[in-house]
Amino acid sequence: MTLGGAPIYVSTRDPVRRARSLPEAVRLGLAPDGGLFVPTTIPRLAPRWSEAETWPEVVEAVLRPWLTADDADAWTRDARGALDFPVPLRPLARDRYLLELFHGPTLAFKDVAARTMARWWGRALRGAGEAATVLVATSGDTGSAVADGFAGVEGLRVAVLFPRGGVSDVQERQLVARRPGVRAYAIDGTFDDCQRLVKGALVDPELAALRLSTANSINIGRLLPQITYYAWASVQLARARGEDLRPLVSVPSGNLGNLTAGLLAAAMGVPIGGFVAAHNANDFFPRFLAGRAAPFAYGPTVATVANAMDVGAPSNFERLHALFGDAWPAPVTGVSIDDEDALGALGRVWSEEGLLVCPHTAVGLEAIERVRAGDAAWRGVPAIALATAHPAKFPDVVARATGQRPTHGALEHLVDAPTRVEALAADASALALALRRFAADEG
Ligand SMILES: *Cc1c(COP(=O)(O)O)cnc(C)c1O
């Protein structure tokens, strides 16, 4: 089903399947029945899309098929304006590449979607003439990307929930930095607790007056901007190699938003040979893929050195399941890498190539080795690991593996920046109270 050629969106759970437009789905975040919005069709890329020569041209080519004629010009212009930082493909030894997604303002790939959504949301609110509170649960990087992207958007309050003690010191400093219209809450619990609180608040009728929505990757608006860099990686690879190749793409995964975007890219027609779902010890999805876990039989959250992927119950699994069942548009292999092997991989890229990577990227690189070792068919295929964050966000872990402490100029001003943060129990009524207070203070 389509809306003037563009897909429409339904809930993963709604038996009546009431359809919404993309602006409505973005504004709501979660469907009213607690399900996630999924498109009823996946559009194909236009036939000559890969002739796009620049990153903004690729952004345009990828997003346009998702949009109605009414929205297409403004929404693609917003995205091109938001994605004003480079996403280079860096060659490594042994036919591997890194897609560097961390050159945005908060130094993680979350900037791609957060910056784009902030502009889309501002536009949707101006259209509707109303104020809203955006909730975001973060395992470390989403919170600061959303706070940075959304701060100062008229009509929006942003409440960021992060697991107290579950993020790196640098991530925490980014999260609690004082920004207009933004409040950070340190939750006494895990990321999964934060995510559960957000989902609960969104469907709580008592909080309806606050017009809650979410910028987590349960919001379909997060995923569409992320499709663009899979296409841009493909264009850069073809240019570097002088031929069209179907690479193996390793996606450091937690909540499975990034992988969902990658599979949507493949379904749109981006040439990708296969995906590696590269998880840390939080291995529900690799176990599911191997037939060792039933759908939705999630495990508890385990703390690891790749903390942004410490997700026991990945919320996008529900969307992946609804979109594809297990008929993936490209083969998906699940791998779980423990801390020792992640640190080993981090040390090896440093000693072999003189390059520092973040622990999540190290999980992605190690997972490529695993897949190539396990299946000869992948040995002759170029492999791309998504580099999801800058190593300077994780100086302690990087120092443990390499003896080097990476830094970045964008983080220096945070050392003595003013902060605003409240500690909160992992409890729905405590959050409700805090959100009411926030709304009352900000008007
Ligand atoms: C969020 C995050 C991930 C995991 O991405 P998902 O979309 O949640 O699977 C991986 N690496 C870093 C650095 C992140 O911030």
Side-chain angles (χ1 to χ4, degrees):
M1 242 200 312
T2 62
L3 194 70
I8 52 173
Y9 298 81
V10 296
S11 167
T12 47
R13 297 183 193 172
D14 187 352
V16 185
R17 313 222 110 202
R18 177 173 165 208
R20 321 253 175 176
S21 67
L22 182 58
E24 269 183 297
V26 167
R27 203 160 42 79
L28 287 169
L30 195 68
D33 61 358
L36 278 67
F37 283 110
V38 284
T40 49
T41 55
I42 299 173
R44 298 282 301 178
L45 284 157
R48 296 156 73 87
W49 74 274
S50 60
E51 289 169 15
E53 285 183 2
T54 64
W55 165 225
E57 283 171 27
V58 168
V59 168
E60 178 92 31
V62 168
L63 292 178
R64 202 163 265 280
W66 291 93
L67 299 163
T68 63
D70 281 351
D71 295 326
D73 287 342
W75 283 49
T76 54
R77 192 168 59 244
D78 285 343
R80 292 171 64 144
L83 301 177
D84 57 355
F85 51 90
V87 179
L89 188 70
R90 174 199 285 265
L92 299 179
R94 297 193 296 285
D95 211 7
R96 294 168 308 161
Y97 295 81
L98 280 183
L99 185 68
E100 294 186 351
L101 294 164
F102 52 70
H103 296 288
T106 70
L107 311 184
F109 82 100
K110 303 291 199 318
D111 283 323
V112 170
R115 285 171 65 76
T116 308
M117 282 239 316
R119 294 188 184 211
W120 286 352
W121 220 317
R123 181 177 296 285
L125 282 178
R126 282 197 299 280
E130 53 190 38
T133 303
V134 175
L135 296 179
V136 51
T138 185
S139 56
D141 293 318
T142 298
S144 51
V146 169
D148 182 88
F150 282 59
V153 174
E154 202 186 326
L156 275 189
R157 296 179 286 267
V158 180
V160 178
L161 283 66
F162 68 94
R164 183 139 60 100
V167 303
S168 81
D169 288 348
V170 176
Q171 285 175 316
E172 177 156 348
R173 262 187 269 132
Q174 287 182 305
L175 285 168
V176 303
R178 183 184 288 267
R179 296 177 175 92
V182 178
R183 238 167 246 202
Y185 299 97
I187 304 292
D188 207 359
T190 63
F191 169 70
D192 289 289
D193 293 321
C194 298
Q195 189 155 254
R196 185 174 45 72
L197 286 170
V198 165
K199 283 187 176 173
L202 291 174
V203 296
D204 182 349
E206 308 239 312
L207 293 175
L210 298 181
R211 293 192 182 281
L212 301 179
S213 185
T214 179
N216 273 109
S217 58
I218 49 184
N219 193 313
I220 185 75
R222 274 278 297 280
L223 302 187
L224 301 185
Q226 290 182 211
I227 301 172
T228 61
Y229 51 70
Y230 289 91
W232 177 227
S234 162
V235 167
Q236 291 183 85
L237 182 67
R239 192 182 295 163
R241 302 292 283 262
E243 58 178 324
D244 288 334
L245 294 161
R246 304 181 78 84
L248 178 67
V249 180
S250 181
V251 186
S253 291
N255 219 9
L256 293 172
N258 207 353
L259 183 72
T260 305
L263 287 163
L264 288 171
M268 288 185 80
V270 176
I272 292 171
F275 290 93
V276 188
H279 288 258
N280 57 24
N282 294 278
D283 63 350
F284 158 74
F285 193 58
R287 283 190 293 113
F288 166 78
L289 290 172
R292 290 189 290 113
F296 307 105
Y298 302 131
T301 312
V302 183
T304 75
V305 294
N307 68 277
M309 315 195 311
D310 291 351
V311 184
S315 58
N316 272 289
F317 178 75
E318 178 169 342
R319 183 179 269 134
L320 277 179
H321 203 61
L323 276 172
F324 302 114
D326 41 21
W328 309 115
V332 183
T333 310
V335 176
S336 162
I337 304 291
D338 65 20
D339 278 1
E340 195 184 330
D341 288 350
L343 292 170
L346 219 163
R348 241 180 352 269
V349 221
W350 169 244
S351 61
E352 290 176 2
E353 323 228 11
L355 187 71
L356 296 174
V357 299
C358 89
H360 314 80
T361 308
V363 166
L365 285 168
E366 182 63 11
I368 290 172
E369 306 297 329
R370 253 347 131 74
V371 170
R372 282 179 167 173
D375 184 347
W378 291 118
R379 279 174 220 156
V381 176
I384 298 174
L386 303 192
T388 47
H390 192 281
K393 293 190 89 165
F394 309 92
D396 296 337
V397 177
V398 174
R400 232 167 102 189
T402 66
Q404 309 292 312
R405 270 194 93 75
T407 55
H408 193 291
L411 300 173
E412 273 153 28
H413 73 280
L414 288 171
V415 175
D416 38 34
T419 63
R420 179 154 63 197
V421 60
E422 281 175 42
L424 223 54
D427 173 78
S429 51
L431 178 64
L433 198 65
L435 292 176
R436 287 212 180 85
R437 202 158 356 107
F438 184 13
D441 291 352
E442 299 272 328

